[in-house]
Amino acid sequence: MTWEDEKQKYSKMSVDEKRQIYKSYVKLDDIPTWKQFADNKKLLPKIEMLPNCEIDNTKNSTLADKISYFSGDITHLEIDAVVNAANSSLLGGGGVDGAIHRAAGGTLKEECKTLGGCPTGEAKITGGYKLPAKHVIHTVGPQGEKTDLLKNCYKNSLKLMLDNKLRSIAFPCISTGIYGYPNLPAAHVAAYTVRKHLEANAGAVDRVIFCLFMDEDKKIYEGLLQSYFPLN
Ligand code: ADP
């Protein structure tokens, strides 16, 4: 079967049929929003947003319903799209990239081969194959702390989400693993860029999930989301 045929086969399956294939999954409805997560919980101390970042917290007070803080494996999420922190070949690698390719099965690589790679900061979309997620959005993060390029990864992934009328997406902490971007500055870029996108496009989005895998990121995001997505 060609990758095109296999992609079509999966896209036509009912959710129940597909669940026979991927077995372990987390439904969007079972992922609390940031607001629900934080409700009645004693959170770690707030981390302030970057100075002069032009965010007005007297507006957009409902955005805490549009995001989630999720600890765990991105390959389990049964949502519209998961973002892959890929390398520029788009042919698979280590870390989250390896995990996504393993879970999706070999046909994902066949589709990726047709894309001709991807420059740093840009993003490309494929099917999700055996993943619970319907699509994978592959983006290539910068190596080291290059703010504008990391910002572009989030922006371009969110733009693909919008262009393809997808309503739920999950991001890993792009570039903070093998690519060595320091965790806290990377989290500021992620939270800021998602917030700006939601300010402009909240109606088109059900959920943006920050998928946190390392304890350091779990701590950082718990502090930081309180600033970028205030709870009251
Ligand atoms: P990069 O090359 O962009 O740094 P990595 O895959 O090395 O990408 O790391 C990005 C982030 O993804 C790290 O925080 C890493 O711990 C995390 N990660 C690794 N595997 C998974 C997974 N299965 N689900 C979610 N996040 C993961």
Side-chain angles (χ1 to χ4, degrees), residues 44 52 59 68 99 111 138 150 177 180 214:
L44 293 172
N52 312 318
K59 293 182 187 153
S68 290
E111 183 175 2
H138 307 260
L150 186 61
M214 306 298 285

Side-chain angles (χ1 to χ4, degrees), residues 80-85 100-101 104 108 112 124-129 131 133-139 160 166:
D80 289 341
V82 292
V83 175
N84 181 17
I100 286 176
H101 276 270
L108 174 59
C112 285
K124 296 194 177 178
I125 188 167
T126 65
Y129 298 90
L131 285 169
K134 293 192 187 105
H135 303 271
V136 179
I137 293 177
H138 307 260
T139 189
L160 272 181
L166 310 180

Side-chain angles (χ1 to χ4, degrees), residues 15-231:
V15 173
D16 286 337
E17 281 175 303
K18 251 202 110 178
R19 282 181 182 162
Q20 300 302 311
I21 293 169
Y22 50 71
K23 299 197 172 70
S24 94
Y25 56 91
V26 184
K27 290 186 281 185
L28 181 61
D29 285 349
D30 293 336
I31 302 172
T33 65
W34 164 237
K35 194 168 194 150
Q36 290 164 340
F37 172 89
D39 198 33
N40 290 320
K41 190 168 183 277
K42 190 169 180 337
L43 296 173
L44 293 172
K46 178 172 166 176
I47 302 173
E48 294 301 331
M49 59 176 102
L50 292 179
N52 312 318
C53 74
E54 293 172 7
I55 282 185
D56 180 356
N57 269 338
T58 63
K59 293 182 187 153
N60 302 301
S61 59
T62 60
L63 296 176
D65 290 329
K66 293 279 179 183
I67 63 154
S68 290
Y69 170 108
F70 175 80
S71 302
D73 189 333
I74 204 163
T75 66
H76 293 167
L77 299 178
E78 191 182 69
I79 58 177
D80 289 341
V82 292
V83 175
N84 181 17
N87 58 49
S88 58
S89 76
L90 297 186
L91 299 180
V96 71
D97 195 6
I100 286 176
H101 276 270
R102 270 194 303 280
T107 324
L108 174 59
K109 191 167 166 183
E110 295 307 309
E111 183 175 2
C112 285
K113 278 183 192 165
T114 68
L115 298 175
C118 182
T120 305
E122 294 186 17
K124 296 194 177 178
I125 188 167
T126 65
Y129 298 90
K130 293 180 182 166
L131 285 169
K134 293 192 187 105
H135 303 271
V136 179
I137 293 177
H138 307 260
T139 189
V140 182
Q143 303 190 23
E145 191 173 348
K146 296 180 184 122
T147 312
D148 288 342
L149 286 173
L150 186 61
K151 203 179 274 181
N152 286 346
C153 289
Y154 285 93
K155 262 193 199 167
N156 287 322
S157 299
L158 291 163
K159 183 171 185 305
L160 272 181
M161 176 197 192
L162 207 61
D163 291 348
N164 288 276
K165 299 192 164 42
L166 310 180
R167 299 194 59 90
S168 52
I169 190 171
F171 284 98
C173 299
I174 300 166
S175 281
T176 62
I178 300 160
Y179 278 3
Y181 203 116
N183 298 65
L184 179 60
H188 276 286
V189 171
Y192 171 84
T193 312
V194 168
R195 156 100 191 220
K196 283 292 180 194
H197 181 80
L198 286 174
E199 283 180 10
N201 302 288
V205 175
D206 289 336
R207 202 82 63 79
V208 178
I209 298 166
F210 296 103
C211 181
L212 309 165
F213 205 64
M214 306 298 285
D215 285 342
E216 186 180 357
D217 288 315
K218 291 176 196 172
K219 286 184 201 148
I220 289 172
Y221 276 77
E222 191 172 322
L224 205 61
L225 294 181
Q226 294 173 62
S227 293
Y228 288 95
F229 299 91
L231 295 156

